[in-house]
Amino acid sequence: MTVPSEAATPTDDSTWAGRRDRLSSVAEVVARDLCVGCGLCEAITGGRVSMAATPTGSLRPAPVDGFTAEEERAILDACPGVTAESRADMSLPLDPVWGRCGTMRYAWASDAGVRFTAATAGVLTALGQHLLASGEAASVLHVGPDPSQPLRSRWVISTTPEEVLANAGSRYGPTAPMAGLGVALDRGEPFAVIAKPCDLGALHRRAAADSRIDKLVVARLAMVCGGQSRLSKTQRLLDQLGVAESAVTLIRYRGHGNPGPTRVETRDGQTFEVGYLELWEDEGTWDLETRCKLCPDALGEAADVAVADVWPGGAPTGEDEGFSGVIARSAVGESLLSRAAADGRIVLGDAIGPRELDNMQPHQVRKKEALAARYQGMADAGVPPIATRGLRIDELGRRLAPERAASQRQGAADRMLAAGS
């Protein structure tokens, strides 16, 4: 099912049109630090340009000037550093923060092992398993740890429920699921995608030029995203533990509980565990990609189902059995949640209202309200803001107090100037 894009609001239209046309090249996107490393460049070039690790622990296309003119136009049309667009089902109610939402409920994987092992109660894992077991999808495109370099992630195509579970778990570092898009499409079989909201935004934009996407992608599943950390965050943890990356055989950021500890295992049999709050309580150490600080759609408005952490106040106070919040964003998403529940893959719990989700994801609300000012700061620095459609950036920006807006605007300008220097 193809979901029509939501018509842009007047405020979004001004964001979309009131700017220099757009960044002029992939090289400029990278130079301005607006690349999030989604992998689309690799897919569109058939792997001729690949995603490579940078010294700061990001993924970037290399060579950055290795595109034909046609490839570069195609990439810029879908690049998350250039555009972001909701893929909205207009039949669903519109919330100013959360967008078009149908079912909003607590949920968790029915299987106790999946619920315990996977991150955020295993809902995304269970949905992927359901799609394969039911035959609705022949494969799932997602990410998992690289067996030869456990700190690093790679895109994978899972064809069995067991493979989905083997690649479950949060990856707090750079991931490039869209690098596998061409391979998944060339299989010519229905498949699902589990990815970050920005990745699904790129998929949605790319569908306008590649009709196979809407024909073959049967479900688009996203986590509500707090941002992608550079690998430098993990490297600092290893430095504190006195462990070399070459010695690591396993790193697990979450799961085996909710949220579960970050666990590091080494070749010589050492094991280290660090509590979730200990690792993440200082937001200044997250080392987020610049694009993540400017993200207009961390809430998964290009997905069929988005899955969020549901800790009151925005942070866990301890371990629990594992609960997620699910948001159906399309008729496809509504039907998938119902079928997966009937199939015994997930449990749907009590309803959650949008304002309850505000309390559970307060940092998302703050960022949404700050983006209009941040985009003004980008323009002040001579950088075209990310063009948005249907994401209510200017509307939410009017909530921001003038002094905070000024601070956010200046901070974004400074960040852009530093990136371009």
Side-chain angles (χ1 to χ4, degrees):
M1 171 185 170
T2 300
V3 178
S5 296
E6 183 172 7
T9 65
T11 51
D12 273 337
D13 269 342
S14 66
T15 305
W16 190 269
R19 62 193 182 106
R20 165 159 83 89
D21 282 346
R22 65 182 181 186
L23 294 170
S24 60
S25 65
V26 174
E28 189 178 12
V29 175
V30 172
R32 293 294 189 178
D33 206 22
L34 292 174
C35 175
V36 76
C38 70
L40 186 66
C41 292
E42 184 169 329
I44 286 179
T45 63
R48 190 184 69 253
V49 173
S50 61
M51 303 308 295
T54 71
T56 57
S58 299
L59 288 174
R60 298 292 183 263
V64 76
D65 57 354
F67 306 97
T68 67
E70 182 179 0
E71 288 168 345
E72 193 144 50
R73 282 194 298 271
I75 291 164
L76 292 175
D77 282 344
C79 174
V82 178
T83 63
E85 185 176 48
S86 69
R87 179 178 169 267
D89 185 331
M90 300 296 287
S91 69
L92 298 178
L94 175 64
D95 181 77
V97 174
W98 292 90
R100 297 282 173 182
C101 304
T103 292
M104 302 175 77
R105 294 174 69 171
Y106 288 96
W108 54 92
S110 302
D111 183 281
V114 173
R115 185 180 186 183
F116 176 76
T117 301
T120 318
V123 171
L124 288 171
T125 299
L127 291 175
Q129 291 180 316
H130 163 78
L131 288 163
L132 293 177
S134 67
E136 297 168 48
S139 62
V140 176
L141 173 62
H142 57 144
V143 298
D146 185 334
S148 64
Q149 304 177 89
L151 258 68
R152 318 281 166 154
S153 300
R154 63 174 185 172
W155 62 266
V156 294
I157 293 178
S158 292
T159 59
T160 68
E162 293 75 21
E163 289 175 346
V164 174
L165 181 59
N167 288 287
S170 298
R171 302 297 297 169
Y172 285 109
T175 63
M178 289 300 99
L181 178 62
V183 175
L185 290 169
D186 288 345
R187 293 166 61 94
E189 299 175 321
F191 67 100
V193 181
I194 302 175
K196 304 184 300 299
C198 57
D199 304 321
L200 293 184
L203 180 71
H204 168 52
R205 292 282 301 170
R206 179 61 184 157
D210 190 334
S211 61
R212 295 178 299 168
I213 291 173
D214 285 337
K215 178 181 178 182
L216 295 177
V217 179
V218 297
R220 309 173 195 215
L221 310 176
M223 69 290 294
V224 170
C225 183
Q228 177 175 273
S229 295
R230 296 182 173 96
L231 206 61
S232 50
K233 167 69 177 176
T234 303
Q235 188 59 61
R236 275 204 308 277
L237 172 63
L238 294 188
D239 292 344
Q240 292 165 9
L241 298 175
V243 174
E245 180 180 350
S246 60
V248 176
T249 56
L250 177 144
I251 182 162
R252 184 173 64 237
Y253 294 92
R254 286 180 60 175
H256 288 247
N258 186 54
T262 294
R263 183 179 175 92
V264 177
E265 297 179 4
T266 66
R267 298 186 191 283
D268 61 2
Q270 295 186 84
T271 298
F272 304 88
E273 287 194 347
V274 179
Y276 181 88
L277 285 177
E278 182 181 351
L279 187 63
W280 298 106
E281 63 184 347
D282 182 359
E283 191 171 343
T285 68
W286 289 6
D287 284 0
L288 295 183
E289 298 278 8
T290 297
R291 165 60 174 72
C292 299
K293 298 173 184 177
L294 300 164
C295 181
D297 181 26
L299 308 182
E301 294 192 49
D304 294 308
V305 176
V307 178
D309 284 320
V310 285
W311 297 310
T317 57
E319 294 288 326
D320 61 36
E321 296 174 275
F323 299 91
S324 299
V326 293
I327 305 169
R329 295 206 172 276
S330 68
V332 168
E334 290 278 17
S335 178
L336 174 57
L337 291 175
S338 295
R339 295 194 311 276
D343 188 44
R345 289 285 179 177
I346 64 170
V347 175
L348 293 176
D350 293 342
I352 305 173
R355 303 293 72 80
E356 290 178 86
L357 271 179
D358 288 351
N359 174 258
M360 296 163 178
Q361 295 278 338
H363 56 292
Q364 299 288 6
V365 180
R366 291 193 297 268
K367 182 165 69 174
K368 274 279 197 179
E369 292 173 345
L371 280 178
R374 293 180 185 180
Y375 286 2
Q376 288 176 321
M378 292 176 71
D380 293 343
V383 179
I386 297 168
T388 65
R389 273 187 174 151
L391 295 170
R392 308 164 307 284
I393 301 306
D394 290 345
E395 174 187 345
L396 291 166
R398 286 192 286 271
R399 298 181 178 187
L400 205 61
E403 62 276 8
R404 184 160 180 256
S407 174
Q408 293 289 325
R409 180 173 182 170
Q410 187 61 54
D414 293 345
R415 187 175 292 116
M416 289 296 101
L417 292 170
S421 62

